[in-house]
Amino acid sequence: MTTYVEADRTADTEAEILGLYRKHLSKGRATVAELFGSHMEVESSGARLRTSDGKEYLNCSGYGVFVMGARHPRVMELVRRQLETHPIATRILLEPTVGRAAEALSSVVPAHLNRIHFALSGAEAVETGLKLARANGKKRLVSMRMGYHGKTLGALSATAKEVYQKPFRPLLADVTHIPFGDLEALEEVLSAHPGETAVIVEPVQGEGGVILPPAGYLPGVERLVRTYDGFLILDEVQTGMGRLGEWWGADLYGVNPDVLLAGKALGGGVMPVSAALASRKTFAPFDKDPYLHTGTFTGAPVLMAAVQGAIEVVKEERLVSRAAELGGRLLPELSRIAHQNLPGLVKEVRGQGLLIGIEMVEAGLAGELLIELFNHGVVGNHSMNGSAVARFTPPAILTDADVTFLLEAFDKATRDLLAERARMPEGGR
């Protein structure tokens, strides 16, 4: 039992950390934390996370990181072993862990993508893809509206959202943003600049609010890129490693990109790791000069141990098929509950595998839904480009009890949201 003194100390600690956020990190981030009661997460395991006051939550958040849950024993075992022997390499001598990680990753991607550059963040992987396009003579770039590719300067040029781009312009030159799903618009740009253009696209737009591609769209993108001698970058930082119910969106939708980008779940929910994968031909400029594109911590042994563990776990525990199965169970039930409990307030519930979005009729409702879910023990995501969409990215290790808990919590949260809206004055809605 928590004593009065312990509870008081917990409150003081949370207040102190909130103050440190305001003083040293971000006042805006502190404000977001206050909306969720200033709770402080201190422990995670599997599909659950715990806060400093001892409460436990089902973690359907993490923006795609936790495909295998938090602190999976196999990933932790390999990372601990590497920490105790050789966590960071000189980058001068041969180092076996990065070689084995590359071998493991190449075993689960389309066969032609057998050259790999490891990095830490998804944005770094995007930068690598953009530089590979440049090194192969493609000076122009096409990305999709509502797409999200990171916020470093090059990646931000592809992330087509005004609020993120405006303070940092000018960004990369010769970048065109077109609607996701519009093959005519894509052909217009590619035909105007044959042989000059790289296209970057997500199989499913995650931060856009779980926007699924129209039937035939991604194969159509690849066909047009090949017709006009372009360059195709498939951004699978969020959608890869089984999230969609296939290893990659490339597999699900039948496309063969010049570069495939991986990240988030690649580090097993333990380490920050990303990668850009390419064919031998595409990777040739980096093969020729190993110092052309480098980073101090790329391929660090402790990170590569996590990659090996992550791929082992997804294979051995059949998490790809598990994600497809769980998504097939959750999506129709979440849709039924949402439309039943929130009539007129939900536009659509959509998803693929364990990437699921609930689009509300206005952005404020999505935030309110996430707070109500939290009050009932579930942590979800907002969508940075699709602000009216609350998003679930649960792990593929959910048990039947977890599924029941999630659906019951969603039912209670949506009922509470409707009741709260009914109490609000008409002008405040």
Side-chain angles (χ1 to χ4, degrees):
M1 178 182 295
T2 302
T3 67
Y4 176 83
V5 174
E6 288 170 336
D8 186 56
R9 186 182 299 121
T10 298
D12 287 345
T13 301
E14 290 170 353
E16 178 187 6
I17 297 304
L18 193 63
L20 292 176
Y21 266 69
R22 285 204 176 90
K23 184 177 180 180
H24 298 297
L25 297 168
S26 165
K27 291 181 180 179
R29 183 63 185 83
T31 300
V32 172
E34 286 182 302
L35 291 174
F36 287 86
S38 301
H39 289 275
M40 185 166 60
E41 60 184 86
V42 296
E43 185 183 349
S44 58
S45 178
R48 302 280 170 163
L49 65 83
R50 295 167 188 85
T51 52
S52 58
D53 56 2
K55 293 181 180 178
E56 185 175 271
Y57 297 84
L58 183 66
N59 188 5
C60 295
S61 181
Y63 301 97
V65 168
F66 299 108
V67 166
M68 59 215 70
R71 295 197 304 120
H72 191 284
R74 180 56 178 159
V75 181
M76 293 293 290
E77 175 192 0
L78 294 179
V79 168
R80 284 195 186 102
R81 184 187 306 169
Q82 199 64 46
L83 277 170
E84 292 169 357
T85 55
H86 188 52
I88 304 294
T90 65
R91 298 183 57 81
I92 299 297
L93 309 178
L94 290 173
E95 193 283 307
T97 316
V98 67
R100 293 302 183 192
E103 180 183 44
L105 183 53
S106 67
S107 74
V108 297
V109 297
H112 70 290
L113 300 173
N114 57 12
R115 290 290 198 278
I116 302 170
H117 174 84
F118 286 108
L120 282 79
S121 70
E124 286 179 273
V126 170
E127 298 287 350
T128 303
L130 298 180
K131 288 178 75 174
L132 278 168
R134 288 285 183 96
N136 280 273
K138 313 305 178 186
K139 308 300 185 186
R140 296 177 178 273
L141 179 66
V142 174
S143 70
M144 311 306 158
R145 294 174 195 161
M146 300 294 286
Y148 185 89
H149 305 285
K151 293 173 182 164
T152 53
L153 282 178
L156 183 57
S157 301
T159 296
K161 186 164 183 177
E162 173 74 11
V163 69
Y164 300 144
Q165 287 192 344
K166 187 176 180 179
F168 307 106
R169 289 176 177 149
L171 299 170
L172 293 184
D174 299 319
V175 180
T176 303
H177 306 303
I178 63 173
F180 184 69
D182 190 337
L183 292 175
E184 289 185 7
L186 179 60
E187 183 165 22
E188 183 178 343
V189 178
L190 290 173
S191 63
H193 306 284
E196 299 179 18
T197 306
V199 176
I200 185 167
V201 63
E202 300 160 272
V204 175
Q205 291 188 320
E207 297 297 343
V210 191
I211 308 298
L212 304 178
Y217 172 65
L218 289 167
V221 170
E222 184 183 6
R223 175 181 55 79
L224 289 174
V225 167
R226 303 304 169 216
T227 298
Y228 294 103
D229 188 25
F231 189 97
L232 179 58
I233 304 169
L234 196 63
D235 186 342
E236 299 239 33
V237 169
Q238 184 165 165
T239 58
M241 292 291 289
R243 172 62 59 188
L244 299 181
E246 291 282 356
W247 269 102
W248 310 97
D251 303 323
L252 182 65
Y253 295 108
V255 294
N256 291 292
D258 295 290
V259 176
L260 184 146
L261 308 177
K264 296 193 184 292
L266 186 59
V270 175
M271 288 290 174
V273 188
S274 64
L277 300 99
S279 68
R280 179 179 178 181
K281 179 181 178 182
T282 299
F283 206 76
F286 287 10
D287 262 343
K288 182 178 180 181
D289 184 351
Y291 297 108
L292 192 62
H293 181 65
T294 61
T296 301
F297 296 107
T298 59
V302 69
L303 306 181
M304 298 301 96
V307 171
Q308 291 180 67
I311 293 168
E312 283 181 23
V313 169
V314 175
K315 284 182 176 180
E316 293 171 7
E317 298 189 10
R318 302 175 65 85
L319 295 187
V320 173
S321 58
R322 181 66 176 159
E325 176 196 345
L326 286 167
R329 291 170 61 187
L330 287 170
L331 184 61
E333 281 300 294
L334 290 170
S335 181
R336 179 188 64 79
I337 293 168
H339 288 289
Q340 175 182 290
N341 291 357
L342 295 172
L345 299 180
V346 177
K347 288 185 68 175
E348 186 180 17
V349 179
R350 53 183 178 263
Q352 177 64 50
L354 290 176
L355 181 56
I356 299 171
I358 296 95
E359 184 173 3
M360 312 301 289
V361 295
E362 60 185 61
L365 279 167
E368 291 175 37
L369 176 58
L370 288 172
I371 292 170
E372 294 293 353
L373 278 165
F374 185 80
N375 292 339
H376 289 286
V378 174
V379 183
N381 294 134
H382 66 283
S383 299
M384 282 190 279
N385 282 359
S387 56
V389 179
R391 190 158 37 117
F392 292 136
T393 55
I397 60 165
L398 292 182
T399 64
D400 289 345
D402 291 331
V403 170
T404 299
F405 181 87
L406 172 56
L407 294 175
E408 289 180 350
F410 187 69
D411 181 60
K412 294 171 185 174
T414 49
R415 290 175 186 275
D416 286 354
L417 176 56
L418 186 65
E420 182 64 29
R421 296 289 290 186
R423 286 193 291 267
M424 291 175 62
E426 188 68 30
R429 295 181 189 175

